[in-house]
Amino acid sequence: MKPSLPIRNSDVMTNDYVMVDGLHTVAEAIKLAISHNVSMLLVNKRHEHDEFGMVLMSDIARKVLAKDKSPERVNVYEIMIKPVFSVHADMDIRYTARLFERFGINKAPVIEAGEILGVVTYHDIVLKGMMTQA
C-alpha cells in the first residue's frame, strides 16, 4: 500500500483577511473588515527586516472597546499582535494543528519566501483537510 501524500497548508488555506498598515486607525481597520467581510486583519511589514502583525476583532474589543478608547484615535500598531505566528505553505496540516495546540492559537498566516499567501485556521484544517483524507 502506497502512503498518501500529506495535505499541506497551501491546500487548505483561504484568503479571508485584509492587509492593513500599522498607521491605520482602528476605525479605518473596522471599516475595511466590514467591507471585505473578514474577522482578521494582517498588518504589513514596514521594511524588509520587519515582521507581519495581526489584529483580530477580539483584540479590538479587548484593547479598544473594553477600555473605552476611541477607535478614531488608536492606531492598529498599538493593539496588534507582532510578530505573528506563521506557518510554511508546504507544512503538513497535522504539524500545523500540533503547533496551534501547543501555542494556544487557532489561525496563522501562511508564508512563503517572506510573503503572505493566505491564512490557515483550525476550521480550514478540519473541513478542507481531514475530509479529503476520508
Side-chain angles (χ1 to χ4, degrees), residues 68-100:
D68 202 26
K69 293 183 177 181
S70 170
E72 290 83 11
R73 298 183 66 129
V74 176
N75 294 95
V76 167
Y77 75 84
E78 296 177 71
I79 64 164
M80 70 181 173
I81 301 162
K82 185 175 178 176
V84 66
F85 189 94
S86 62
V87 293
H88 293 284
D90 62 349
M91 182 185 287
D92 187 314
I93 61 170
R94 293 174 296 182
Y95 297 133
T96 301
R98 290 175 192 168
L99 284 171
F100 282 7

Side-chain angles (χ1 to χ4, degrees), residues 23-55:
L23 293 175
H24 275 119
T25 66
V26 170
E28 292 169 325
I30 292 169
K31 287 177 187 171
L32 284 169
I34 291 169
S35 69
H36 289 87
N37 195 31
V38 298
S39 61
M40 173 195 293
L41 301 167
L42 293 176
V43 184
N44 213 344
K45 296 178 177 184
R46 292 175 295 162
H47 51 79
E48 68 176 300
H49 300 293
D50 198 14
E51 295 297 327
F52 291 106
M54 178 170 53
V55 175

